[in-house]
Amino acid sequence: MRPGFRPLARASLIIALAAFTSSSPAAPRDAKEKALVQHVTAGEKAHIELLEQLVNVNSGTMNLAGVRQVGDLLRPRFEALGFKVTWVDGTPFKRAGHLIATRPGRGQHVLLIGHMDTVFEPNHPFQRWQRVDENIARGPGAADDKGGIVVALAALDALRQAKLLDSLQITVVLHGDEEDSGAPLALARHDLIEAAKAADIAIGLENAADNPKTAVTARRSSTGWVVKVTAKSSHSSQIFSDNVGAGAAYELGRILNGFYQEVRGEEFVTFNPGLIASSTQVDFKGQPLSATLSGKNNIVAPTAIASGDLRTLTVQQLEETRAKMRKVVAASLPQTSAEIEFTDNYPPMAPTEGNRKLLSLYDGVSKDLGFGPVTEVNPRNAGAADISFAADHVDMALDGLGLLGGGAHTPDEFADLRTYQIQTQRLAVLLYRLGRR
Ligand SMILES: [Zn+2]
């Protein structure tokens, strides 16, 4: 998952879990659901051992061999469940690739989405699984997102053991570049989008918001913008004159202040300048984001640049905000001009009725299993993630059904193993009920 969410601190997660796990007695609806719960319970040890194995294989996004090695570990697991596994070569988009597992079936077509890569490259000190105590295991990707993959495998395994897997068509897409998507993005996300077009329902295995009482019905987009200002340069003593005008620095200041004063305000719309630079010489780089500059106080800066992100909840908000930003950019100060360029990255996942329908099904499963109600995460706290590429192509989408923990993207990342039963039982029974619809 990408930055933008606020993970619960470990202490508050533990308190939440303590209150959560004993909310009400379990009441699986029928014998099949009871059987699923038993299979999940019986399979925990073996699946946690698999998680440890996966975590101990470094799969930083740019460690292409490591990501493929994780895929090699997972392939036989899916094949044993009757899935046909293919590996999408990532060379065309400069990444390791994706694992796609498909399994035909009678009912609705469910797409499960996760990722094999982590933010921890081989040179990072945080490399190994470490069992802190019976409940907590630390490790790179323990929750984000290898834990999610294991929850899906365990739920599918329970359905297979209960002879219920044929009631659904299932496609599993596990990306090898979620944390740092390949380029061109359209190529890197092509297979997921095609799989979503063929599916009815999309389920994300992220550990969103790390709170078992919530799931994700909406995610904000993650897009970019760059403002480039050009102005007249001269000796500084002539700034403000009719001939020289305001200079690039003031013009950029005006534009950023205009964004803050005139564009800011709508709920779920944020735009952050990650870099601003102005001087006589400006050497700007978009990837990795940087600028080298030099100048003199007695020279009016002819160049100014700002780069930032823009996050919205819907495509309409995105277009309207871009229009407002363009309007601000166009109102140039004397003897200056500016242009703004927008880049698409992760689209928004709007909070549709279909997504809320799937949440209510999941909430029903959770209550019946004795795990209490589930509500939607505030999209302000849900970063961008791959499900956003699928959400527009399916009837219902929901994310955050993976293993929970905390400290994602930090050397303190941990998985709370008590959520293994909660998340795996809920996913297994949800899939079973979807197979009966
Ligand atoms: Zn993730």
Side-chain angles (χ1 to χ4, degrees):
M1 180 166 20
R2 305 190 142 231
F5 69 97
R6 276 197 300 274
L8 271 182
R10 185 161 148 198
S12 44
L13 172 74
I14 289 171
I15 293 161
L17 265 174
F20 187 79
T21 41
S22 59
S23 59
S24 58
R29 273 204 195 140
D30 59 28
K32 290 187 175 137
E33 293 191 0
K34 278 198 189 86
L36 285 173
V37 169
Q38 283 156 3
H39 289 310
V40 170
T41 308
E44 176 166 350
K45 188 168 176 300
H47 284 95
I48 297 299
E49 282 164 8
L50 170 63
L51 179 56
E52 176 173 357
Q53 216 187 337
L54 293 170
V55 165
N56 284 335
V57 174
N58 178 281
S59 58
T61 313
M62 299 318 290
N63 175 8
L64 307 187
V67 173
R68 279 194 285 268
Q69 199 184 336
V70 169
D72 294 340
L73 270 174
L74 292 169
R75 175 187 285 268
R77 298 279 177 156
F78 282 104
E79 287 172 344
L81 298 175
F83 283 81
K84 178 173 162 290
V85 176
T86 54
W87 183 265
V88 175
D89 175 27
T91 311
F93 48 88
K94 307 178 201 64
R95 294 293 186 271
H98 311 317
L99 182 146
I100 299 189
T102 56
R103 192 180 194 283
R106 287 187 303 279
Q108 303 198 80
H109 191 160
V110 174
L111 168 61
L112 299 173
I113 304 166
H115 63 91
M116 299 173 287
D117 63 313
T118 74
V119 295
F120 305 99
E121 297 295 337
N123 59 2
H124 194 288
F126 189 49
Q127 292 293 328
R128 303 290 296 176
W129 168 274
Q130 182 210 352
R131 192 73 186 244
V132 177
D133 57 32
E134 59 164 328
N135 297 325
I136 301 291
R138 292 183 55 220
D144 184 15
D145 188 37
K146 290 171 179 177
I149 297 173
V150 166
V151 163
L153 266 172
L156 295 168
D157 183 47
L159 286 157
R160 182 190 55 82
Q161 290 187 61
K163 300 188 175 29
L164 297 169
L165 209 40
D166 295 342
S167 63
L168 287 169
Q169 299 172 60
I170 302 173
T171 298
V172 182
V173 173
L174 302 179
H175 279 150
D177 67 334
E178 196 275 343
E179 300 292 5
D180 179 3
S181 48
L185 189 61
L187 260 184
R189 294 295 170 270
H190 171 77
D191 301 276
L192 174 63
I193 292 169
E194 289 309 306
K197 286 176 182 165
D200 306 302
I201 296 161
I203 290 175
L205 303 165
E206 290 283 7
N207 59 317
D210 287 313
N211 181 339
K213 294 179 184 169
T214 61
V216 178
T217 56
R219 288 187 177 280
R220 296 197 295 158
S221 63
S222 167
T223 66
W225 52 270
V226 173
V227 169
K228 290 182 178 155
V229 176
T230 47
K232 275 201 174 166
S233 184
S234 86
H235 188 278
S236 62
S237 61
Q238 298 311 305
I239 194 166
F240 309 144
S241 66
D242 293 348
N243 178 35
V244 172
Y250 282 121
E251 171 60 0
L252 182 60
R254 176 197 67 78
I255 289 171
L256 295 175
N257 188 48
F259 288 172
Y260 189 81
Q261 301 295 348
E262 297 159 43
V263 184
R264 178 178 55 98
E266 197 177 338
E267 195 185 13
F268 302 125
V269 175
T270 59
F271 36 90
N272 170 60
L275 177 148
I276 66 172
S278 179
S279 195
T280 312
Q281 299 288 336
V282 177
D283 178 15
F284 171 77
K285 283 192 181 55
Q287 217 11 297
L289 187 62
S290 66
T292 317
L293 50 166
S294 62
K296 286 189 181 327
N297 285 344
N298 62 359
I299 298 177
V300 177
T303 311
I305 286 192
S307 167
D309 76 350
L310 167 56
R311 295 168 187 264
T312 65
L313 192 56
T314 65
V315 173
Q316 187 193 348
Q317 269 188 336
L318 184 64
E319 292 317 323
E320 285 169 4
T321 306
R322 285 177 171 175
K324 289 177 191 166
M325 293 172 90
R326 284 193 192 94
K327 194 162 165 262
V328 170
V329 168
S332 308
L333 289 174
Q335 303 296 351
T336 72
S337 68
E339 59 185 30
I340 185 165
E341 217 179 279
F342 293 104
T343 47
D344 286 326
N345 195 3
Y346 272 58
M349 169 182 167
T352 64
E353 275 323 298
N355 298 0
R356 290 192 167 128
K357 175 73 192 146
L358 188 52
L359 173 69
S360 73
L361 293 171
Y362 190 60
D363 173 59
V365 166
S366 184
K367 288 173 188 159
D368 289 349
L369 292 176
F371 297 131
V374 181
T375 57
E376 60 188 0
V377 169
N378 177 332
R380 244 332 198 104
N381 304 334
D386 281 338
I387 195 166
S388 301
F389 290 95
D392 281 355
H393 303 286
V394 293
D395 306 328
M396 307 194 278
L398 192 67
D399 201 354
L401 277 58
L403 193 61
L404 308 180
H409 292 207
T410 77
D412 298 323
E413 181 179 352
F414 68 92
D416 194 309
L417 303 177
R418 287 170 303 177
T419 68
Y420 172 87
Q421 284 298 331
I422 300 170
Q423 299 300 87
T424 310
Q425 288 182 23
R426 294 197 296 198
L427 181 58
V429 173
L430 176 69
L431 291 173
Y432 166 59
R433 290 185 184 180
L434 289 172
R436 298 181 61 200
R437 282 168 60 88

